[in-house]
């Protein structure tokens, strides 16, 4: 079972605070870049993941929602799905829903879940059968408080763009929480 391993590095110099470079470790080639929006509305963030193959994915934070939620769009503007933080959970958990799942007004169970230790940046993505499809961990080779480096192991057949998009949404969410905690202390 061959895994793809990507290295995700937050850029140290960024006007948006949410810029990443993504590298394929097997080929040592750039896989994608992630760039945040230059202008933000309060509570609204946008990030664009541009892959080297020309495709892109856009993460758009919802302005109004019960929990932090990001819509995920394909490069043609169609909604691919969304990621949202569970409102009630013993530990922090993010659910990923794909568009078209569910029946009528009923929301289907999540297609994927992100679970683990988000503060230590060590978590997994599981499909709806409980199988691990990606492992995300902080890369300890280079560590700075100002920006993060991740190692992302992706199972064969799993969409790498979806995994990276979800990682960026989670990173953004915990960066926001970290800023709020610093302000209140």
């Amino acid at each position: 079972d061959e895994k793809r391993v990507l290295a995700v590095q937050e850029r140290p110099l960024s006007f948006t605070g949410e810029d990443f470079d993504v590298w394929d470790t097997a080929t040592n080639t750039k896989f994608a870049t992630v760039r945040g929006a230059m202008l933000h509305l309060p509570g609204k963030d946008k990030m664009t993941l541009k892959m080297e193959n020309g495709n892109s994915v856009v993460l758009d934070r919802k302005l109004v929602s019960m929990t932090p939620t990001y819509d995920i769009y394909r490069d043609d503007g169609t909604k691919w799905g969304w990621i949202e933080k569970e409102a009630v959970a013993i530990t922090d958990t993010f659910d990923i829903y794909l568009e078209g799942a569910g029946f009528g007004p009923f929301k289907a169970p999540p297609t994927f879940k992100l679970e683990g230790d988000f503060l230590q940046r060590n978590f997994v993505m599981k499909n709806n059968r409980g199988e691990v499809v990606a492992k995300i961990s902080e890369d300890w080779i280079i560590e700075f408080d100002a920006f993060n480096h991740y190692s992302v192991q992706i199972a064969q057949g799993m969409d790498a763009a979806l995994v990276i998009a979800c990682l960026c949404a989670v990173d953004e969410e915990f960066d926001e929480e970290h800023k709020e905690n610093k302000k209140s202390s």
Side-chain angles (χ1 to χ4, degrees), residues 94-114:
F94 289 83
D95 294 333
I96 299 106
Y97 299 88
L98 296 183
E99 203 60 23
F103 177 71
F106 303 104
K107 184 162 75 171
T111 307
F112 300 100
K113 280 187 174 288
L114 284 171

Side-chain angles (χ1 to χ4, degrees), residues 87-159:
V88 179
I90 295 171
T91 61
D92 287 325
T93 303
F94 289 83
D95 294 333
I96 299 106
Y97 299 88
L98 296 183
E99 203 60 23
F103 177 71
F106 303 104
K107 184 162 75 171
T111 307
F112 300 100
K113 280 187 174 288
L114 284 171
E115 304 172 326
D117 189 340
F118 294 102
L119 293 176
Q120 294 298 316
R121 301 184 194 288
N122 186 17
F123 48 97
V124 296
M125 183 180 219
K126 294 180 180 178
N127 63 20
N128 55 10
R129 294 181 302 277
E131 301 163 334
V132 174
V133 295
K135 292 181 183 177
I136 297 118
S137 58
E138 191 163 27
D139 186 348
W140 294 101
I141 295 171
I142 304 171
E143 181 186 357
F144 299 94
D145 190 41
F147 49 95
N148 304 308
H149 300 352
Y150 295 97
S151 173
V152 182
Q153 298 175 27
I154 303 168
Q156 189 173 10
M158 183 58 197
D159 192 311

Side-chain angles (χ1 to χ4, degrees), residues 29 34 65 74 105 131 133 146 157 160 168 174:
T29 57
V34 179
S65 72
R74 295 181 188 275
E131 301 163 334
V133 295
C168 291
F174 280 94

Side-chain angles (χ1 to χ4, degrees), residues 18-82:
E18 290 305 325
D19 292 345
F20 299 87
D21 292 318
V22 184
W23 297 86
D24 187 320
T25 61
T27 61
N28 201 29
T29 57
K30 189 172 269 191
F31 175 77
T33 57
V34 179
R35 298 297 178 256
M38 291 295 284
L39 297 172
H40 298 292
L41 296 171
K44 183 141 176 93
D45 284 315
K46 235 181 204 181
M47 288 182 271
T48 302
L49 168 71
K50 292 184 181 181
M51 274 98 47
E52 290 299 305
N53 66 9
N55 294 333
S56 62
V57 174
V58 174
L59 281 166
D60 190 4
R61 184 172 182 172
K62 283 189 174 183
L63 187 57
V64 178
S65 72
M66 296 267 301
T67 63
T69 302
Y70 291 80
D71 287 331
I72 306 168
Y73 295 93
R74 295 181 188 275
D75 51 2
D76 65 2
T78 59
K79 189 172 177 182
W80 189 3
W82 68 96

